[in-house]
Amino acid sequence: MHLRGVVLPDGGQRDVWISDGRVTFSPVEGAPTLVSEGFLVPGLVDAHCHPAIGPGGPTDLDGAAANALADRDAGTLLIRDCGQPIDTRPLQARADLPRIIRSGQHLARPKRYIPKLGLDLEDPDQLPAAVAEQAADGDGWVKLVGDWIDRSVGDLAPLWPDDVLAEAIKVAHEAGARVTAHVFGEDALPGLIDAGIDCLEHGTGLDTSLLAEMARRGTALVPTLINIENFPGIADAAGKYPVYADHMRALHARVGDLVGNALDAGVAVYAGSDAGGMIAHGRLVDELEALRRAGMTAEQALAAGSWAARDWLGHPGLSEGAPADFLVLDADPREDLSALRSPRHIVLRGALVR
């Protein structure tokens, strides 16, 4: 097929052809023209998504496929899963579903994370070996649970000793994998960052000094702002643990400064909806708009959920020879992110899915 429009992020009016599922800027004889005007945007990226988790908890493959279709129909064409309770490799073989970068299973401790979602390690010293297994089984990412409520102390607390974290992340890096971690509170952050972690999820306890260290090390942040909106409700349901409840409310109250402070420090921030469980699938645009409200420009927020995130994850955008995964919009999303809510066309693997 042939298209003509404003190609992002460069912003120039160009002719684009699709041949054998890939982008080319060289004319393809006989290709029918799909559009002659509009905005061509590299497929959106949900950098924190759980296709195999839904409102009722873990799903089977059919449920995971339905969740991935909901994400696709909202423009998400690349997913970095941030922990899955089942093997989702069969989804990767389906041409109608978004591309999925698998992180394997969450690594946690017994009774220190949501039941039935991850692998519970009885001894913290098992973490490096478990990381090695997940790195070998996944697509270049490993997911740790960095902190969670410790009911024995009634508040958020780290799951892993600092020396074990350092060894586990070293093992992942030696295997060519990157590591990310769920973390809400403050106490787990220094150990995770000093150990060389590649990314933090949520990061509500970050302060300016830790953000500066993240920037120095090249540690990314995926803040999942629309999930953090649930913190007051989580606190209200935690009446047995008043210290934890107050802590969650305090973390929620300060999140408004998180993205702006991260940008000021030079930390790379990417968009992730945390779809699965408390967040419905297909809400990535809500996250982009939340990033804009938190201090990004519309173009920065779009980049965080499109071409910049693709570059970070090793997937090209609209470039010569790249897989043809993109949206066609009627209006410029750099000016108004709501344009993403009604794409004229969605092209995935060179096929028109809308």
Side-chain angles (χ1 to χ4, degrees):
M1 69 182 77
H2 164 252
L3 308 93
R4 180 168 177 78
V6 176
V7 177
L8 300 183
D10 294 342
Q13 188 89 220
R14 299 195 69 174
D15 289 284
V16 176
W17 285 266
I18 310 302
S19 179
D20 296 326
R22 294 187 175 271
V23 171
T24 181
F25 299 109
S26 300
V28 175
E29 186 176 352
T33 297
L34 179 65
V35 296
S36 56
E37 60 179 1
F39 294 83
L40 278 59
V41 183
L44 300 183
V45 180
D46 194 335
H48 187 131
C49 186
H50 307 279
I53 304 174
T59 69
D60 58 14
L61 278 173
D62 288 341
N67 290 336
L69 283 171
D71 292 315
R72 183 206 70 181
D73 290 345
T76 294
L77 303 185
L78 176 63
I79 287 169
R80 181 186 65 145
D81 97 56
C82 264
Q84 302 278 52
I86 62 174
D87 185 349
T88 56
R89 267 176 283 230
L91 303 186
Q92 294 177 308
R94 288 185 48 170
D96 61 329
L97 297 182
R99 300 179 194 273
I100 299 173
I101 300 169
R102 294 170 44 256
S103 297
Q105 292 186 269
H106 302 77
L107 297 177
R109 300 289 315 287
K111 298 182 180 180
R112 296 295 307 280
Y113 195 54
I114 301 168
K116 301 179 181 179
L117 292 191
L119 294 175
D120 291 337
L121 307 183
E122 293 291 338
D123 188 330
D125 289 340
Q126 295 174 305
L127 183 64
V131 164
E133 291 176 359
Q134 294 301 307
D137 190 56
D139 298 329
W141 281 92
V142 177
K143 172 70 177 294
L144 310 181
V145 178
D147 72 357
W148 195 252
I149 186 172
D150 182 340
R151 289 166 178 80
S152 68
V153 298
D155 198 3
L156 293 168
L159 272 70
W160 317 103
D162 290 354
D163 60 334
V164 171
L165 276 175
E167 178 61 24
I169 292 172
K170 178 184 175 185
V171 164
H173 289 169
E174 289 174 347
R178 291 185 279 183
V179 184
T180 194
H182 161 105
V183 58
F184 283 160
E186 299 88 350
D187 292 349
L189 287 165
L192 290 165
I193 295 169
D194 289 346
I197 199 149
D198 300 281
C199 183
L200 295 175
E201 313 297 316
H202 320 300
T204 42
L206 288 163
D207 60 22
T208 54
S209 63
L210 290 171
L211 287 166
E213 182 63 12
M214 287 175 65
R216 189 184 73 80
R217 290 174 173 269
T219 310
L221 173 65
V222 180
T224 68
L225 297 177
I226 60 174
N227 185 21
I228 294 167
E229 292 173 4
N230 291 305
F231 278 21
I234 293 171
D236 291 345
K240 289 173 59 178
Y241 303 101
V243 174
Y244 166 73
D246 288 345
H247 195 177
M248 294 296 283
R249 292 188 185 98
L251 291 169
H252 177 263
R254 60 191 272 195
V255 75
D257 296 327
L258 175 61
V259 172
N261 288 341
L263 294 176
D264 289 345
V267 173
V269 177
Y270 300 105
S273 70
D274 203 358
M278 300 184 79
I279 301 297
H281 285 269
R283 290 193 58 196
L284 183 63
V285 178
D286 290 340
E287 181 68 17
L288 300 185
E289 292 186 334
L291 288 170
R292 179 186 54 77
R293 291 192 298 272
M296 284 186 165
T297 66
E299 185 166 1
Q300 286 174 322
L302 179 59
S306 180
W307 56 84
R310 286 180 165 273
D311 184 62
W312 177 55
L313 294 172
H315 285 249
L318 279 162
S319 58
E320 181 69 35
D325 300 342
F326 60 91
L327 314 181
V328 180
L329 308 179
D330 291 319
D332 189 345
R334 298 170 299 177
E335 301 294 331
D336 184 355
L337 291 168
S338 68
L340 295 165
R341 296 189 180 279
S342 52
R344 190 193 317 173
H345 297 296
I346 299 175
V347 177
L348 175 61
R349 297 180 175 87
L352 194 64
V353 296
R354 175 185 296 178

